[in-house]
């Protein structure tokens, strides 16, 4: 297994062994467990844009940050729009998104080389990608649903890490977290066709399934994208945890018809 399930003060979260082995990084991907939300949001909903009580979500964010071992007052949270814009987080951004107001919008990727600023994005089926450059000490988080995958946000994050901080793609570890697997992700020909232009060969991640229906493997598509960016296969870690198959553990936007909470992915340099 490439991951561990950690329980800290009732908060249950996933860590990747390869990232946990890096002494100057803290990270985690949350589950449903350990929060104060109720009903469909029970219990650790981290989505401030859901219909949940904002105070409960804020309490949940605090609890998750504390379990991962980061300071929630310094959290910087994405502003996800299924795009490919990436923000380089600096000292002055500390706390933006929570507890301070964001002064940016349309951000699906965050990177930083500054210690003690936890980066967070939220998920319920879309693919979380954690990034760590252990040489230059840079971390990042990306949010890749089918649109972000098609836009190759993973590759853009690697390129931004290289441009901003001199990261080398072959020294970056990328970890693909819990998200919807091909087992649970059926798309129509309009979505499937979107990949034809920018991917040389889609037959390894798009599989026909009946008339105008396809199974889409976002994990493999993102592996290809990261590979294309120069990240080595041995440094691309896939959790193989499907949010749709594990409703006891995770929220799934698709399986629960949109009426559900959000998990969070946090990564921070110490
Ligand atoms: Zn599944």
């Amino acid at each position: 297994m490439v991951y561990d399930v950690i329980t800290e003060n009732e908060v249950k979260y996933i860590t990747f062994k390869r990232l946990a082995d890096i002494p100057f990084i803290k990270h985690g991907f949350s589950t449903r467990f350990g929060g104060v939300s109720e009903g469909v949001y029970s219990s650790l909903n981290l989505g401030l844009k859901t219909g949940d009580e904002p105070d409960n979500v804020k309490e949940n964010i605090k609890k998750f940050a504390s379990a991962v071992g980061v300071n929630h007052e310094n959290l910087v949270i994405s502003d996800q729009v299924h795009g490919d814009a990436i923000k380089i987080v600096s000292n002055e951004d500390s706390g933006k998104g929570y507890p301070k107001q964001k002064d940016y919008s349309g951000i699906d990727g965050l990177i930083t080389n500054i210690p003690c600023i936890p980066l967070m994005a939220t998920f319920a089926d879309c693919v979380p990608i954690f990034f760590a450059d252990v040489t230059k000490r840079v971390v990042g988080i990306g949010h890749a649903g089918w649109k972000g995958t098609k836009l190759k946000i993973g590759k853009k994050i690697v390129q931004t890490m290289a441009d901003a901080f001199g990261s080398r793609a072959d020294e970056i570890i990328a970890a693909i977290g819990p998200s919807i697997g091909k087992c649970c992700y059926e798309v129509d020909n309009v979505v499937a066709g979107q990949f034809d232009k920018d991917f040389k060969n889609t037959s390894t991640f798009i599989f026909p399934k009946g008339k105008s229906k396809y199974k889409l493997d976002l994990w493999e598509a993102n592996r290809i994208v990261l590979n294309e960016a120069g990240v080595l296969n041995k440094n691309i870690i896939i959790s193989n945890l499907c949010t749709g198959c594990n409703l006891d553990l995770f929220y799934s936007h698709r399986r629960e018809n949109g009426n559900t909470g959000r998990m969070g992915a946090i990564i921070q340099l110490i």
Side-chain angles (χ1 to χ4, degrees):
M1 234 122 59
V2 297
Y3 64 87
D4 286 303
V5 182
I6 311 285
T7 306
E8 180 79 30
N9 291 330
E10 294 172 2
V11 173
K12 199 177 269 195
Y13 66 99
I14 309 288
T15 59
F16 285 92
K17 288 186 165 75
R18 282 287 294 282
L19 295 178
D21 283 346
I22 303 168
F24 49 85
I25 284 175
K26 291 192 176 186
H27 81 290
F29 186 82
S30 68
T31 67
R32 289 179 184 263
F33 293 97
V36 298
S37 292
E38 294 175 351
V40 295
Y41 304 111
S42 176
S43 65
L44 192 70
N45 172 33
L46 303 180
L48 284 162
K49 289 179 180 169
T50 56
D52 197 359
E53 290 291 330
D55 285 348
N56 286 349
V57 178
K58 286 177 185 168
E59 181 62 23
N60 292 339
I61 291 173
K62 257 192 217 177
K63 291 186 76 155
F64 178 44
S66 163
V68 173
V70 304
N71 184 349
H72 69 270
E73 290 180 3
N74 299 342
L75 262 182
V76 175
I77 303 182
S78 58
D79 185 70
Q80 299 160 204
V81 291
H82 298 281
D84 62 353
I86 295 144
K87 178 175 173 61
I88 300 168
V89 172
S90 63
N91 258 321
E92 65 194 28
D93 294 315
S94 180
K96 286 181 186 170
Y98 180 85
K100 292 184 209 160
Q101 287 288 338
K102 289 175 199 169
D103 57 359
Y104 47 88
S105 57
I107 295 294
D108 282 78
L110 297 166
I111 63 174
T112 195
N113 69 339
I114 300 171
C116 301
I117 300 189
L119 310 177
M120 184 171 112
T122 57
F123 303 86
D125 288 344
C126 288
V127 180
I129 315 176
F130 295 86
F131 294 86
D133 170 357
V134 293
T135 306
K136 296 290 196 309
R137 296 203 178 194
V138 183
V139 292
I141 187 73
H143 166 258
W146 75 260
K147 287 182 183 168
T149 304
K150 184 216 160 241
L151 290 167
K152 302 190 175 180
I153 187 170
K155 186 177 180 179
K156 282 167 190 161
I157 290 175
V158 170
Q159 285 167 344
T160 308
M161 288 170 73
D163 293 345
F165 303 116
S167 293
R168 280 177 44 167
D170 62 2
E171 291 181 334
I172 291 174
I173 296 169
I176 294 176
S179 38
I180 196 124
K182 68 171 187 284
C183 40
C184 294
Y185 196 34
E186 194 175 281
V187 297
D188 61 18
N189 54 350
V190 177
V191 170
Q194 298 275 328
F195 290 84
D196 290 341
K197 194 168 136 267
D198 299 315
F199 288 76
K200 278 192 206 91
N201 175 14
T202 61
S203 70
T204 57
F205 64 92
I206 297 177
F207 308 96
K209 187 189 174 274
K211 196 166 178 273
S212 302
K213 296 284 181 204
Y214 300 84
K215 291 283 188 188
L216 176 51
D217 183 349
L218 289 176
W219 303 336
E220 173 61 12
N222 278 291
R223 191 198 61 75
I224 292 167
V225 167
L226 292 163
N227 219 211
E228 221 176 84
V231 182
L232 305 175
N233 272 324
K234 65 171 185 175
N235 291 334
I236 301 171
I237 324 298
I238 301 178
S239 73
N240 281 314
L241 281 169
C242 172
T243 44
C245 287
N246 293 283
L247 287 179
D248 53 331
L249 203 53
F250 302 116
Y251 304 110
S252 171
H253 192 265
R254 177 164 276 229
R255 290 288 306 278
E256 298 171 285
N257 300 316
N259 195 19
T260 192
R262 299 288 181 278
M263 283 84 68
I266 287 180
I267 190 162
Q268 185 213 276
L269 290 164
I270 295 173

